[in-house]
Structures are given as structure tokens and as C-alpha cells.
Amino acid sequence: MVAPMADPLLTLTNITTRFGAHVVHEQLNLTVHKGEIIGLVGGSGSGKSVLLRTAIGLNRAAAGTIQLNTDQFGVLFQQGALFSSLTVAENVALPLLEHTAIPRQQAYALAKLKLALVGLEPSVGDRYPAELSGGMVKRAALARALIREPDMLFLDEPTAGLDPISAAAFDELLLTLSKALDLTVLLITHDLDTLHTICDRVAVLAQKKILAVDRLATVAQNPDPWIQAYFHGPRGRSAQAQQTAIHQEQ
């Protein structure tokens, strides 16, 4: 677990975002500490993806300040967002080709290394996204997010659409990489197993702000009705029971 007083890598202060008259976030505050994995949860339409895009500068906040204490970060968008007309290796190498002066051949060699790092065979680099399984697409997208040696990863629903075995394998991969590469991770998820398995803290986005942020056990005790329904409904109880069984086996 991350130390509570670790240096902040991302600080969002009094963030307000809106589209026309529609206010998505209002006076929202969130701090992500160096070295932690923090899971962001919230109901559909609560503005989780908007918040991620605002944090990395793709959306402009109407008010508030964003302090991202690194120039190197990687992003895994929903469904992987690989370019269908490019091979997997070309997709992974693209950030290097677009933003650095690295020669093309060297960029492709580095792309193959990143694919190996996320558990994909070298031959996968020559295939196209349509030829991959859902789990392989997510791993390829993760390789692309890692290509520029980031300090922080922003992941939008990284296990959405995966079967339970593939989702669990992706969680374990992310946990291993975060420790090995000293990564800080902010991930949007609806997967309660992910929250229990790899997240140091959980942040709940509701009512246009971060309603609660703490370790999962503490957040789950928040009396807010949405939080209670989310963490203590049938799926929440199932995830908790599964984690309890795993700990007892260990």
C-alpha cells in the first residue's frame, strides 16, 4: 500500500467543468499520490471519463486548477482505441513517431519490447486490431500507454468487456507493472474485483464532486445511498466474499 503522505503527482483543485449550460463537475477536488493505484467509480453519466480527459488536458476546465507533476504520462482509452488501419506494432510505436525524433526502426523495436512486457508474443505486433481478442487489445493499448516510459497511467475502464479470467489477469499484470516500474495509476472502473484486488484507494464521483476518497473498506462505510448500494449490493457482497476467501487461503 502507498504511504499516506507520499508526494502528490496529480492535484485537482476546485474543478468545474461544463458543456454549455450542463455542469458536469462543480468544485471537485482530488489528489493522487505518487506510487498509488486509485480507482475512480461513479454512476453512468457522472463524468468519470470527462474528469480523466480534463486531467490530461483534452478538456478545458471552466474553473479550478490542475497540477500534474510529470510530463510523462500514458493513457488507455475505453475499448483500447487502437487505429484499425495500423498494425499493433505501428499503434504502439505511434507516440514515439509523433512526438520524438527516434528513428522508425528503433521505435518499432521498442514497441515489440513493450508488447513483450505486457505478455504478448512478438508476432502479435504484425497483426491488426481486428484480429485480436478483447484481452489482447487491452494489453496492446497498455503497451502503447507505456511506450514513452510514463510516471503515471490514466486508464479508462481497462477491464470492461473482458471475461472474468481475462480481467483478473489484466489486474495482476497492472499490479506487477505498477510495482516494477514505480507507476502511479488513476483508473476508471466498474469492476468491484479490480477495486478489491489492486487499488490502494477508491474515489467516488457523485453529485458533481468527489464524494468520498479513502481505502475501500472506509469508503464502503460511507452512509451515502449510492455508495451503500454500490458496495453492499449483490455484486459488492460477491466481490467481498471472494476476496475474503482468497485471504483465508493465503
Side-chain angles (χ1 to χ4, degrees), residues 15 23-30 39-49 51 190 202-213 219 222-231:
I15 296 296
V23 177
V24 182
H25 310 122
E26 189 168 26
Q27 297 288 298
L28 180 149
N29 295 281
L30 177 65
L40 179 64
V41 302
S44 298
S46 61
K48 300 182 297 298
S49 295
L51 184 62
H190 286 109
V202 177
V204 179
L205 177 53
Q207 302 172 28
K208 304 178 183 179
K209 62 184 179 181
I210 299 298
L211 195 62
V213 56
V219 170
N222 188 295
D224 178 79
W226 189 90
I227 293 177
Q228 286 297 304
Y230 184 82
F231 288 104

Side-chain angles (χ1 to χ4, degrees), residues 93-125:
L94 189 61
L96 292 177
L97 298 175
E98 289 289 327
H99 300 290
T100 75
I102 291 178
R104 184 173 296 270
Q105 198 64 29
Q106 185 179 350
Y108 288 146
L110 290 171
K112 293 293 182 71
L113 287 175
K114 294 303 182 185
L115 288 171
L117 187 65
V118 300
L120 294 176
E121 297 291 333
S123 60
V124 173

Side-chain angles (χ1 to χ4, degrees), residues 161-200:
L162 300 184
D163 63 82
I165 295 175
S166 296
F170 190 95
D171 284 344
E172 289 301 324
L173 171 64
L174 183 59
L175 185 60
T176 299
L177 290 175
S178 70
K179 292 179 178 178
L181 303 178
D182 192 25
L183 294 169
T184 303
V185 182
L186 173 60
L187 67 92
I188 296 170
T189 186
H190 286 109
D191 194 328
L192 285 156
D193 290 329
T194 296
L195 298 178
H196 280 281
T197 303
I198 69 171
C199 291
D200 296 296

